[in-house]
Amino acid sequence: MQAAKPSVTTRILLVDDHLMFAEALSFMLEAEIAGTKTTVCQSTAAALEAMMAQVVDVILLDIELVAESGLGVLDMIGVVYPERKPRVLLCSAYERPVVIARAIEKGASGFASKSQSAAEIAQAIRQVLNGEIYLSPTIRDEVRPLLESGTGRSALLGLMSSRQLDILACLGEGLSNKQIAGFLNLSENTVKTHLKEIFDKLNVSSRTACVKKAVAEGLLTLT
C-alpha cells in the first residue's frame, strides 16, 4: 500500500523569470517544507492570474524580471487579497539596500539572496509565515538602518522607480551615461531621460549635486 501524500498546508507562488532556477528551487522547497505546493510564474501578469485562481500563503518574488520590475506584484496583492494578504519574501540576486528597504516599507516581509541555500530560503519562509521580517546576512547591516530611519526617506523613495534607483547607484559609482546604458542594458537616450527625471525630483542640476543629495536623503549608500 502506498503511503498517503501529506495534505497541502503552505502554498507558495514563486515569481521569477529564470525558469531553471525557479523550477529547481520549487522542487527543493517542496522537499524542505512538508505539505508545501509551489506554483512558478515568470511575469507579473502570470502572477496576477495565479493569485486570482488560488489562495497563496507566501509569494517568493524576484525584484527584476525581464522588461519589468517584480515589485509591481506588491501593488496587486491588496486588490486580489483585500483581507488575508500573503507574505512576500523577495528572493533575488539584485541586492540594492535602498530598493529592498522601499519594498519592505510597501509591505514585503523581507529579502533572501539567490546565493543562499534552499534550506536557508526555507527557513526564511518559515520566519515570514510567523510574522517576522527576514533579512539575508548579505544585506542585513545595510538595510536595517534604512528601515529604522525610514520616515524621512519615504516620500522621495516613493517618487523613484526601481530603475531610477539603479541609475542613482551607477552615478554613485562614477559611471558615464554610456557605461550606465551598457550595465543596465538600456539606450543612452533612456538613461538621459531617467537622469532628467531624477534631477527634477531631487531638485538638482548636476551629477555631483545629485549624488550628494541622494546620499543625504538615504537614497544612495556609497561604498
Side-chain angles (χ1 to χ4, degrees):
M1 178 183 292
Q2 288 186 329
K5 293 182 179 180
S7 60
V8 175
T9 56
T10 304
R11 292 173 174 81
I12 298 175
L13 179 62
L14 210 166
V15 186
D16 196 303
D17 57 357
H18 294 91
L19 189 57
M20 185 178 295
F21 169 84
E23 289 183 340
L25 181 59
S26 171
F27 176 80
M28 289 186 284
L29 288 176
E30 289 185 358
E32 287 282 343
I33 307 174
T36 292
K37 178 177 174 53
T38 60
T39 301
V40 174
C41 296
Q42 294 183 268
S43 68
T44 57
L48 177 59
E49 287 185 17
M51 285 190 289
M52 293 179 69
Q54 63 182 317
V55 174
V56 175
D57 300 296
V58 180
I59 298 174
L60 209 57
L61 179 64
D62 194 2
I63 294 175
E64 285 295 316
L65 305 173
V66 172
E68 62 178 334
S69 169
L71 298 182
V73 172
L74 291 172
D75 298 321
M76 300 175 182
I77 291 173
V79 177
V80 180
Y81 301 109
E83 297 179 1
R84 184 183 176 277
K85 297 179 182 178
R87 306 290 185 184
V88 178
L89 178 65
L90 306 176
C91 183
S92 184
Y94 180 102
E95 298 188 1
R96 296 289 187 194
V98 172
V99 175
I100 294 167
R102 179 188 183 198
I104 292 172
E105 289 176 345
K106 290 181 68 176
S109 294
F111 175 88
S113 171
K114 284 187 175 180
S115 64
Q116 292 181 267
S117 68
E120 290 173 317
I121 295 174
Q123 181 56 36
I125 290 170
R126 293 186 187 98
Q127 286 187 221
V128 301
L129 281 171
N130 286 332
E132 302 173 37
I133 295 291
Y134 176 85
L135 293 173
S136 164
T138 58
I139 49 83
R140 186 177 298 152
D141 291 342
E142 295 175 85
V143 174
R144 276 179 175 166
L146 296 177
L147 294 174
E148 289 167 0
S149 60
T151 52
R153 298 183 334 280
S154 296
L156 279 175
L157 273 174
L159 292 176
M160 298 288 176
S161 69
S162 60
R163 182 59 77 199
Q164 288 170 349
L165 290 171
D166 288 343
I167 291 173
L168 268 177
C170 290
L171 282 184
E173 294 169 7
L175 301 187
S176 66
N177 287 0
K178 184 176 182 179
Q179 289 172 319
I180 294 172
F183 183 70
L184 297 178
N185 195 28
L186 302 171
S187 70
E188 284 193 63
N189 283 339
T190 299
V191 172
K192 289 177 182 177
T193 298
H194 277 305
L195 281 174
K196 182 181 183 304
E197 292 178 2
I198 292 169
F199 283 14
D200 289 345
K201 290 173 181 179
L202 295 181
N203 193 28
V204 295
S205 57
S206 71
R207 298 166 84 92
T208 300
C210 180
V211 170
K212 186 176 180 181
K213 180 74 173 287
V215 171
E217 295 291 342
L219 298 173
L220 179 62
T221 302
L222 298 181
T223 57

